[in-house]
Amino acid sequence: MIYNLRKRAEEELLNHIAPFWLKLIDNENGGFYGEVSYDLKVNKKSVKGGIQTSRILWFFSAAYCATKNEEYKNAAIHAYEFLRDKLYDKEFKGVYWMVDYEGNPTDTRKHVYCQSFAIYALSEYYKATKSEEALSLAMNLFALIEGNGFNKENLAYLEEFDREWNITPNEMLSENGVIAEITTNTHLHVLEAYTTLYEVTKDVIVGERLKDLIYTFYNKIYDKKEHYLKIFFDNNWNTIIDVKSYGHDIEASWLIDDAYKVLGLRDKNIEKMIIDIAYNIKEQIQEDGSLINEAENGVKDFTRVWWVQVEAMIGYLNVYERTQDEELLNIVDNLMNYIMEKIVDNRDGGEWYWSIEADGKPTERSVVEPWKTPYHNGRFCLEFIKRIGE
């Protein structure tokens, strides 16, 4: 079974996901076209996001590292140049939230989450190209986050700023009707970014901050009794709403483990957390093999979101590697079957649907937009290729 999982992931990457995104290169204005509607119409004048561009840059850099396909490397270079030339604020530093299709800033706010994705992408791009310019930019963004975006009093990463790095309300990473001063999501992606940055630099300070982040998850974010991650907090790390985000839980399980392994740590408490998170949400997996989205105040959202399914596949494969529990491999296989049958969009010119509604119908939402990129689904393919031998 396990080798078939790799084969299916590799075929999806090479024959579907990568070709789809290569067609979206904007050779006239730079970067990649920012929107493909649900009815598969490319909007060549859509905005282009900082997170979106970083995720595309990460994907093609990682895909090149895995395959040595020069077309992927050229796509990564194309994405990098747009990030460097259009999305990076040369006056006040940092990456903009959004630019228009020509690369003119339309939303100049700075978000720690967005800076983190740029670090993640630039570090992976350095792996692919050995560009010292890109690595220098990544380290500058690291210093920017640590200098402006970290609260030394409560040991939390801040969220949202205006262009000149004045703190503003966290509109962009708050959901469920609250404005959160601290979010698990931002901390998770700072951790993800620092893991790759440390991998390529072995910088002592990056390593220290990465280790601190792992223990922030254990001490502040992780509920040790119920084995899930709290999501939204006030400035004192008090939970402000009862939300359980199953996708973030399982994504965090393996991303924390990646950071743990890169640092070479040894701590049974951290290892237990990684495993217990995955086992805790097994009951949210449905008869069709899918994982539901979340629960708010005990009310479950049965939407099957594309990224939740793929992060579950990586997360359960990761814990299988730790435990050799065959039940987890069966979960991965069932998730794979669900994704290939329901989430993958087999229409001519399609990629993956955003989600499947509780009634089994695809959500009529754009298949490419500022939050919908090849980062999650492409990464699942690349992780399976890396983790499962031929």
Side-chain angles (χ1 to χ4, degrees):
M1 178 202 299
I2 194 163
Y3 299 108
N4 187 50
L5 290 169
R6 177 201 160 104
K7 183 170 180 252
R8 295 175 80 181
E10 194 167 28
E11 287 174 352
E12 180 62 19
L13 174 76
L14 300 177
N15 300 333
H16 191 198
I17 296 172
F20 174 88
W21 287 92
L22 286 170
K23 290 176 184 174
L24 295 181
I25 292 174
D26 183 348
N27 285 310
E28 184 178 354
N29 295 297
F32 287 67
Y33 297 127
E35 183 188 22
V36 177
S37 65
Y38 177 75
D39 58 4
L40 304 180
K41 290 186 172 62
V42 178
N43 180 0
K44 294 185 177 181
K45 294 190 175 182
S46 174
V47 291
K48 297 170 179 175
I51 295 165
Q52 183 180 41
T53 299
S54 293
R55 288 176 168 184
I56 294 169
L57 170 58
W58 176 87
F59 168 71
F60 278 113
S61 299
Y64 172 73
C65 289
T67 66
K68 301 306 178 195
N69 182 326
E70 289 292 326
E71 200 172 9
Y72 301 164
K73 184 178 181 180
N74 291 336
I77 292 168
H78 186 79
Y80 169 69
E81 290 173 348
F82 190 77
L83 180 73
R84 179 195 64 194
D85 297 341
K86 301 296 185 180
L87 278 155
Y88 186 76
D89 182 351
K90 293 172 181 63
E91 184 176 357
F92 294 105
K93 311 305 177 188
V95 175
Y96 294 128
W97 188 263
M98 200 72 65
V99 297
D100 68 13
Y101 73 100
E102 293 177 313
N104 303 302
T106 59
D107 188 336
T108 59
R109 81 183 80 200
K110 309 290 171 58
H111 203 292
V112 167
Y113 182 100
C114 185
Q115 313 312 308
S116 299
F117 267 100
I119 292 172
Y120 185 50
L122 291 164
S123 301
E124 193 69 31
Y125 182 70
Y126 175 77
K127 280 192 201 176
T129 64
K130 295 296 180 281
S131 166
E132 293 293 340
E133 178 188 64
L135 190 60
S136 175
L137 189 52
M139 287 300 293
N140 288 339
L141 289 171
F142 168 76
L144 200 61
I145 289 178
E146 293 299 316
N148 292 335
F150 182 66
N151 185 338
K152 293 177 182 175
E153 292 180 10
N154 64 5
L155 304 180
Y157 283 92
L158 300 165
E159 298 283 334
E160 191 167 313
F161 300 81
D162 65 14
R163 185 186 177 194
E164 297 177 28
W165 291 97
N166 301 300
I167 295 174
T168 57
N170 181 29
E171 294 177 0
M172 305 315 287
L173 264 288
S174 295
E175 295 177 288
N176 303 80
V178 299
I179 297 292
E181 293 180 270
I182 301 171
T183 72
T184 293
N185 205 2
T186 290
H187 282 74
L188 181 60
H189 294 292
V190 174
L191 175 136
E192 168 190 67
Y194 287 8
T195 298
T196 308
L197 184 61
Y198 180 73
E199 192 182 353
V200 297
T201 64
K202 292 296 187 278
D203 182 272
V204 173
I205 298 172
V206 175
E208 288 173 355
R209 298 304 302 124
L210 182 58
K211 182 179 178 181
D212 289 345
L213 265 163
I214 291 173
Y215 284 96
T216 295
F217 270 89
Y218 185 72
N219 294 317
K220 300 288 189 183
I221 296 172
Y222 179 55
D223 187 309
K224 297 177 182 67
K225 290 182 180 177
E226 296 191 40
H227 308 306
Y228 74 96
L229 303 181
K230 294 166 279 186
I231 297 296
F232 296 123
F233 306 86
D234 67 15
N235 202 39
N236 295 311
W237 286 104
N238 298 307
T239 305
I240 59 175
I241 186 172
D242 175 18
V243 173
K244 294 178 176 66
S245 177
Y246 306 123
H248 286 114
D249 277 3
I250 195 65
E251 182 182 20
S253 171
W254 77 267
L255 286 177
I256 292 169
D257 204 359
D258 260 21
Y260 179 85
K261 290 169 184 170
V262 162
L263 290 171
L265 298 180
R266 293 291 178 268
D267 187 328
K268 293 297 182 186
N269 289 325
I270 301 300
E271 292 177 20
K272 188 174 187 300
M273 171 178 69
I274 288 162
I275 292 167
D276 285 350
I277 288 172
Y279 277 92
N280 179 57
I281 61 170
K282 279 199 309 177
E283 63 190 66
Q284 309 308 330
I285 294 173
Q286 304 300 293
E287 286 186 12
D288 60 12
S290 64
L291 178 61
I292 63 172
N293 185 33
E294 66 179 21
E296 180 181 338
N297 296 318
V299 179
K300 292 181 180 179
D301 172 7
F302 286 88
T303 311
R304 277 66 155 192
V305 182
W306 102 98
W307 70 264
V308 173
Q309 314 311 311
V310 295
E311 295 302 333
M313 276 203 293
I314 304 168
Y316 280 111
L317 179 62
N318 182 67
V319 175
Y320 166 76
E321 290 169 352
R322 281 196 167 274
T323 65
Q324 297 300 301
D325 181 350
E326 291 290 333
E327 182 191 4
L328 302 183
L329 208 54
N330 287 328
I331 288 173
V332 176
D333 191 49
N334 290 335
L335 279 159
M336 178 76 84
N337 290 334
Y338 179 85
I339 287 167
M340 294 303 170
E341 290 170 15
K342 300 290 186 180
I343 300 280
V344 171
D345 179 359
N346 288 312
R347 294 178 296 170
D348 186 28
E351 193 232 23
W352 286 31
Y353 296 114
W354 178 281
S355 58
I356 302 297
E357 300 291 337
D359 63 7
K361 295 178 181 176
T363 305
E364 294 191 12
R365 181 166 171 170
S366 293
V367 297
V368 171
E369 47 116 289
W371 290 99
K372 180 77 159 45
T373 71
Y375 153 71
H376 286 290
N377 54 359
R379 184 166 70 175
F380 123 70
C381 298
L382 292 164
E383 285 291 325
F384 275 45
I385 292 167
K386 180 171 72 176
R387 290 167 184 260
I388 304 171
E390 291 187 70

